[in-house]
Amino acid sequence: MPNIQTVTIVPNLPERLAPLMEIARNCWWTWTPEALYLFQDMDRDVWERTRHNPVALLGTIEQPRLEQLERDEIFLARMEGVKSELDRYLKAQTWYKKVKQDEDGGSIAYFSAEFGIHESLPLYSGGLGILAGDHMKSASDLGLPLFGVGLLYKHGYFKQYLNPDGWQLETYPSNDFYNMPLTPLKDESGESMMVQVQLADRVVHLKVWSLVVGRIKIYMLDTDVPLNSRMDRQITSYLYGGNLETRLQQEIVLGMGGIKVLKALNQMPTVCHMNEGHSAFMAIERLLQLVRNEGLGYDEALEAVRATSVFTTHTPVPAGIDRFPPDLMRRYFTNIANELGIGIERFLDLGRIYPGNTSEDFCMAVLAIKMASQTNGVSKLHGEVSRKMWADIWPQIPKHEVPITHITNGIHTLGWLSSEMSRLYQRYLGSRWIDEPANHAIWKRVEHIPAFELWRSRERLRERLISFARARLKEQLESKGAPKYQLKVADEVLDPEALTIGFARRFATYKRATLLFKDVERLKKILTNEERPVQIIFSGKAHPQDKYGKELIHKVVQMANTPEFRMHVVFIENYDIEVARYLVQGVDVWLNTPRRPMEASGTSGMKVPANGGLNLSILDGWWVEGYSGENGWAIGAGEEYEDHEYQDEVESRLLYELLENTVVPLFYTRSTHNIPHGWVEMMKKSILSLCPYFNTNRMVEEYSKRFYLPNISRWHLLAKDGWKEAKEVSRWKKHVMEVWHKVKINDVQIPLNGSPKVGDRLPIKAVVDLGELSPEEIRVDAYIGRLDDKGELPEGHPLPLLPTGERQEGGYVFQGTLLCLSSGLIGFTIRCYPFRKELGHKFELGLLTWWESK
């Protein structure tokens, strides 16, 4: 084979057009319409051909056109305007600077296996990546000192196409990193920056790329370098590809390699956020860094790492969590466990629900939970599901008090908003909504938008979606060699004036894409009513190994190809950010039919309200919190069924009834000016109630206030004076674990003279033997609630009892007052647990002693 050398060719831009490259290399353009229009107007054909990638556009566009643009004063003025707006954005005062004014504020590293920034960067598969991308955009808007850390996949996720029979097939086109808004980092000698990570018996080299998203950077790790073996070059080849060992290797590269990269860049974070369990090994590398460089023991290092790590779980079912066999883990982590001084079995217990169970696989979510001071689900309902799912990690803790909270997801509003609606909001809301998308008072001005203007905008967006769908359908047919008469039909499918429903997401069985086809005859009557027609646009991918998901797609496509549905049902191939953008902007109704409670959050429906669309959904995920009864529709009342067949039957009928009796009539009940005033009123209520809350600016602010800022302070406290506090907390925990068995609740006194009445106050006194602990090191609660059929307290609530300073025979006295709020049989008991203000949550040690009868 000949010796091949490489050279990177860069676009040859005339000097006056140089600002274009600076704009193109900052993904701020992805949510800035003026920047998008600027690139699009340079050459629309090339813009489409390069998948809306400005870097590829600038490298592909012909030189005569560049010279023409160099002489175009109007274009140059637009370019300067966009560049000035970017400069203003980068220098503007931010929310974070206002709330955190001290200079040494620390930094946050956000780890994710995928980032969905834009369709020109196919480094994502679905909701997890889209959420991560929107998190980055809002972190930029808010000015957080945050870095993203991810993997740079040579082939990314697959590109979907359907064979003539409607079966999903996959291709894996290569990503050309040098023609994307990515920059390879250089070391001091000007060579490509490389970081090494140990994988079992060998070293793997990681090349580091930077992706700029507004004010922040995402560092992407790439193993496809000549220094690595052919096998190791494949580690970052496919997103969620390869076998179980490849997945383990990817997660070591992401977590441990990510920390090594930040250290090499002198940007070691004070707080680390794990977006799903894929990146949990970052905590292991943080431990190693503290043991090696700060001279801390394992337990002391663990205090610092755990106190400053955050874990967000997105998965409501155990089957969706990465687990690795113990023997595989031993091969990769025995040396690391020995260096930490804990041995491999104790190391493996970090990823086990039941420590000491040597047959249990190593679970990444369990590792993440045990390494984080805060764990959260992504909706209120998902928080409840997660507490039940992981309750066995804390066997003594009541399930509803398991220390897993929730922060409901959101979307980056600007990134998903149509220019049509953006202009409307500018006119009636002013410009402040762009910088303050979570400001309820600003969104209240939506009430002043005239109904006819809001409706005309909705109609234009639907027309644009129909045009896009027809063009895509025609492309799909041409690629399959369809005859001309079929191509002609593609130009006529769908009606720009008909009620348009969208259903687009990952085709997993629990999302029930075919629920709508449960009664084909009934659906046919709904869709093909000549006076009130309805149409549905489907899109979505099934995982390559998900046979049942592929069967769902096949069924939808088969139905769409029947004569009755051909003009009313369309499936758009290769669901990506571009397709999603057209759909969420153009549909009248967004349909979501998950099997409750399996939808952790589901952000796709959040993207619809700002564009004037309405949600029709099962009460699952975010819609449980969003639905008010006036801002969309709920299928059912939040019931959960054990019999899935019965559930599908019931909920499909409810769906048909909603469409027949409520949704369709409301859409087609028009005024003399052909405006559906009832529908427009519901649109306004949807915008007003959902947009200010379900956005990532609110979400990231919540992460900052509840997690990031307290954890930054905790890091500084622990690190002060040579990690004095971390060492002290570690010693204290070890001492508590050794002596806690001596803690006993010896006596409980509550005067019950007759039956207390509602409104009465009952004094409660408990005598607690603290063993070797002091009253300041313990918290005592009266635990009160209604009894269940078994005489137990499944959903009690704690009432703190305070130390009196008094000692009696049997221990210290703690007391409080019980307020009788309601009548009926009430149960109560007493419990206590260790306390120290530095703990991330009150049950961090997992110790809880209950009052037991002697």
Coordinates of all heavy atoms in Angstrom, one line a residue, residues 58 493 621 820 827:
L58 N -19.4 26.8 3.0 CA -18.3 27.7 2.7 C -17.2 27.0 1.9 O -16.5 27.7 1.2 CB -17.8 28.4 3.9 CG -18.8 29.3 4.7 CD1 -18.2 29.8 6.0 CD2 -19.3 30.4 3.8
V493 N -50.7 14.4 -2.1 CA -51.1 13.8 -0.7 C -51.2 15.0 0.3 O -50.6 16.0 0.1 CB -50.1 12.8 -0.2 CG1 -50.0 11.6 -1.1 CG2 -48.7 13.4 0.0
G621 N -45.3 11.1 31.7 CA -44.1 12.0 31.5 C -44.5 13.5 31.9 O -45.2 13.7 32.8
C820 N -53.2 17.8 64.9 CA -54.2 16.9 64.3 C -54.9 17.6 63.2 O -55.8 18.5 63.5 CB -55.1 16.4 65.4 SG -54.3 15.6 66.8
G827 N -51.5 6.6 62.3 CA -50.4 5.8 62.9 C -49.2 6.7 63.0 O -49.0 7.6 62.3

